[in-house]
Amino acid sequence: MGRPSREMKPRASSVRDGKYAQISHDQEEQRTDSTVDNYGLDPVTEKTEKPHPARWLMLGIFGLVAQGNGMTFLAISSISGKAQDFYNVSESTVNLVVILFYAIYLPFMPLATWTVNLKDGLRGNVLVAAFVMALGCGIRAVAYNGSSASFNYYLLGTAICAVNGPFILSCFTLVPASWFPESERGMAVSIGVLANQMGMVVGYLLPPLIVTEETDRSKQKTQFLICHLTLAAITGIAFLLAFFLFKSAPPNATRRVPIRARDEMELVVALKLMVTNPNFWAYGLGFALVAPIYWDMGTLLNQNMSPSGYSDGMIMIPGVLLQ
């Protein structure tokens, strides 16, 4: 008889290697799953890099554009009574200056949200915001001859300035995310928001300091012109700085991997997270209801306190505190 054939058995090492390979594969899948949050969103991957020294310049330019948004918003709120008499228009017509900012914000916000996510969208949105703001203030400067017809130019300029709002507000968190390390982003966002608020304060303080004449029409024309040209100069400088210097990201920045949903329905997932989060509704509705009241009270203060004999200087104090 020949030698009995031996059944070929896998080597122990092969089995062991295969087992280890299977364990390693399972562990890798578990590790990959653990990096995905409970909502099915892949994390953002980002290479740690040395902060670019120009980040503060970018934030300063962005802050100047954001400040211009606040200034143009409350440009004549602190002198609404004088504007009403100078332009020979009604109180409700003067209030259109503030109302236009709210009315134009809504239709342009979806467009601004879309464009900021395009290639080089951050720079594009900042440039659009700076340009329309400078253009609108330039048109406003035409309205200085003290007639109701010239106030129509002021409203036209205001409508153009209002387009600034959604484009600049869509960038408040993206500028820090693109230029600043994680440890500095909170501070950078705060500085950007503070710049916008300071613009409101400047926009409330500046007009009463320039427009002081009560009766002389010739002097009033000169003072209103100076007031309008001052805002036009500030916004013009902001546009030039943004055009020549502002960039979307450092030149050596690592390309960021966008957050994406596993089922490629990131927008649906994000909206679901938002609408099902009670904290979002509490914060969003609270801010939406309270903040405009504070801002608009600056306009109402002058219209209600001025007839009672309060000077613009006295009205400025509570007006600034409300901004």
Side-chain angles (χ1 to χ4, degrees), residues 111-188:
L111 175 62
T113 303
W114 175 67
T115 56
V116 79
N117 289 291
L118 298 177
K119 182 180 179 181
D120 209 20
L122 176 58
R123 171 177 163 83
N125 271 31
V126 172
L127 284 182
V128 169
F131 174 74
V132 296
M133 184 174 62
L135 177 62
C137 286
I139 296 175
R140 277 177 164 185
V142 178
Y144 70 94
N145 64 4
S147 66
S148 57
S150 68
F151 194 73
N152 292 330
Y153 288 102
Y154 192 87
L155 291 177
L156 174 62
T158 297
I160 296 174
C161 284
V163 179
N164 164 288
F167 282 92
I168 198 65
L169 293 178
S170 65
C171 304
F172 271 101
T173 56
L174 191 55
V175 172
S178 300
W179 280 94
F180 285 80
E182 187 175 354
S183 60
E184 296 178 349
R185 288 176 189 168
M187 177 179 61

Side-chain angles (χ1 to χ4, degrees), residues 150-280:
S150 68
F151 194 73
N152 292 330
Y153 288 102
Y154 192 87
L155 291 177
L156 174 62
T158 297
I160 296 174
C161 284
V163 179
N164 164 288
F167 282 92
I168 198 65
L169 293 178
S170 65
C171 304
F172 271 101
T173 56
L174 191 55
V175 172
S178 300
W179 280 94
F180 285 80
E182 187 175 354
S183 60
E184 296 178 349
R185 288 176 189 168
M187 177 179 61
V189 172
S190 300
I191 293 174
V193 174
L194 181 62
N196 183 255
Q197 297 299 117
M198 288 303 298
M200 294 184 181
V201 173
V202 173
Y204 202 86
L205 287 174
L206 194 60
L209 298 177
I210 298 175
V211 182
T212 58
E213 182 58 41
E214 299 284 350
T215 57
D216 192 322
R217 296 286 294 180
S218 178
K219 289 183 179 180
Q220 282 184 331
K221 287 182 180 181
T222 301
Q223 291 174 355
F224 268 93
L225 178 60
I226 293 174
C227 183
H228 299 334
L229 288 177
T230 300
L231 291 183
I234 295 173
T235 55
I237 292 172
F239 169 69
L240 292 176
L241 289 173
F243 183 81
F244 288 107
L245 298 177
F246 189 83
K247 305 296 181 183
S248 291
N252 60 340
T254 302
R255 183 178 180 273
R256 297 179 183 276
V257 178
I259 297 177
R260 58 188 184 276
R262 278 182 163 182
D263 57 356
E264 298 182 354
M265 296 289 287
E266 63 274 11
L267 181 60
V268 176
V269 173
L271 289 174
K272 183 178 178 181
L273 291 177
M274 185 173 64
V275 299
T276 56
N277 189 332
N279 293 327
F280 165 79

